[in-house]
């Protein structure tokens, strides 16, 4: 069966095994960027969201400024600033972190992490502040301190409410990774562009790339639907 498929592809002038391998490599890179950005961004967003709800104005305002800047400016501009702008800092190319910055993957990942962390912070903050006061008062009546209430009551409840909105953020992050190709990374969009430039067939090249994104989105939808079903099973 595999030999027949390879033979069929070899008769095709455009979607040859080499072309599909390029799409596959681009898909792997896209999944890596999305997964790492979402995971790292989430672990940054949780403490930032807690600080965003702090009663200390200077702390809350500092986090607000961070989220405002990264939510209020285009991700492409942020990527350009990190990828091109950081390299212009005096002495950066002689520093110990230059081996990371000279590889396009890490500046790109940093831009995506900061961007998704800003959006996720506001999503989680919104869920934190809508926690029912009765739950908090009940926990206080049991003698729990602030951190126990936060860990046992507020955060689990907030995560459940944030799931639908956060699933959209993950989808947006997947779509956002398509700009990685502007800094020399060959993701799905970059693979589509390479195929287009080779065969001068924009519709076939980019429709195929769009189909891959669509399949990945369906996979993410399925995962979050399962998580939501599990998180809200007590309401069934």
């Amino acid at each position: 069966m595999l030999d027949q498929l390879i033979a069929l592809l070899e008769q095709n002038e455009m979607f040859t095994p080499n072309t599909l391998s390029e799409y596959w490599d681009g898909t792997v890179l896209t999944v890596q960027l999305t997964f790492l950005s979402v995971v790292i961004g989430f672990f940054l967003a949780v403490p930032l969201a807690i600080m965003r709800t702090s009663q200390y104005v200077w702390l809350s305002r500092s986090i607000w400024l961070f989220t405002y800047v990264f939510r209020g400016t285009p991700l492409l501009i942020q990527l350009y600033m990190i990828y091109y702008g950081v390299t212009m800092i005096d002495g950066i190319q002689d520093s110990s972190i230059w081996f990371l910055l000279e590889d396009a993957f890490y500046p790109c990942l940093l831009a995506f992490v900061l961007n998704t962390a800003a959006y996720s912070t506001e999503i989680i903050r919104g869920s934190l502040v809508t926690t029912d006061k009765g739950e908090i008062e009940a926990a206080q009546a049991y003698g729990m301190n602030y951190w126990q209430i936060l860990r046992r009551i507020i955060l689990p409840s907030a995560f459940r409410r944030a799931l639908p909105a956060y699933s959209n953020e993950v989808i947006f992050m997947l779509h956002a990774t398509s700009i990685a190709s502007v800094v020399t990374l060959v993701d799905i969009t970059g693979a589509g562009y390479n195929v287009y430039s080779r065969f001068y067939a924009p519709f076939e090249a980019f429709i195929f790339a769009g189909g891959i994104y669509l399949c990945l989105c369906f996979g993410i939808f399925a995962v979050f639907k399962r998580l939501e079903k599990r998180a809200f099973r007590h309401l069934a």
Side-chain angles (χ1 to χ4, degrees):
M1 184 66 179
L2 182 60
D3 294 338
Q4 294 176 352
L5 179 61
I6 293 176
L8 179 63
L9 291 175
E10 287 177 346
Q11 297 174 5
N12 187 294
E13 294 182 358
M14 184 173 177
F15 294 104
T16 63
N18 289 336
T19 300
L20 294 180
S21 176
E22 192 167 358
Y23 276 113
W24 171 256
D25 292 338
T27 302
V28 171
L29 179 61
T30 295
V31 171
Q32 287 178 338
L33 283 172
T34 304
F35 178 77
L36 291 174
S37 300
V38 167
V39 170
I40 299 173
F42 177 80
F43 282 103
L44 286 175
V46 172
L48 289 176
I50 295 172
M51 290 187 285
R52 178 76 173 84
T53 61
S54 172
Q55 296 180 350
Y56 297 101
V57 177
W58 63 271
L59 182 58
S60 177
R61 287 294 181 180
S62 298
I63 305 303
W64 172 84
L65 180 61
F66 162 74
T67 60
Y68 183 82
V69 169
F70 279 91
R71 293 167 65 222
T73 55
L75 177 56
L76 182 60
I77 299 299
Q78 298 166 20
L79 177 58
Y80 280 153
M81 289 292 292
I82 294 174
Y83 183 72
Y84 294 112
V86 172
T87 59
M88 303 300 293
I89 299 175
D90 291 338
I92 191 69
Q93 297 188 17
D94 298 324
S95 67
S96 58
I97 63 171
W98 176 245
F99 76 98
L100 291 175
L101 296 176
E102 66 178 345
D103 185 347
F105 180 86
Y106 295 103
C108 193
L109 178 62
L110 178 60
F112 293 160
V113 165
L114 293 176
N115 185 269
T116 191
Y119 280 96
S120 301
T121 296
E122 289 300 323
I123 291 173
I124 298 173
R125 183 202 68 85
S127 298
L128 290 174
V129 298
T130 56
T131 302
D132 188 86
K133 293 183 178 179
E135 297 180 9
I136 299 175
E137 291 173 354
Q140 290 173 338
Y142 271 99
M144 296 184 189
N145 59 36
Y146 171 77
W147 294 108
Q148 289 175 326
I149 295 174
L150 183 66
R151 179 169 57 88
R152 298 177 181 177
I153 306 297
I154 298 178
L155 284 179
S157 178
F159 288 155
R160 284 195 298 268
R161 289 191 299 275
L163 265 178
Y166 188 69
S167 64
N168 291 332
E169 170 58 21
V170 176
I171 295 294
F172 292 152
M173 197 67 250
L174 171 65
H175 294 166
T177 59
S178 61
I179 68 172
S181 57
V182 303
V183 290
T184 72
L185 292 179
V186 184
D187 62 336
I188 296 174
T189 303
Y193 184 82
N194 289 344
V195 173
Y196 153 65
S197 63
R198 193 179 307 139
F199 296 97
Y200 299 100
F203 289 104
E204 294 86 343
F206 290 114
I207 287 175
F208 192 85
I212 297 175
Y213 281 114
L214 196 61
C215 292
L216 293 175
C217 285
F218 279 133
I220 294 173
F221 279 135
V223 169
F224 275 95
K225 281 296 181 183
R226 192 172 185 85
L227 288 175
E228 288 179 31
K229 185 177 180 180
R230 183 179 180 85
F232 294 102
R233 63 183 182 274
H234 62 287
L235 299 178

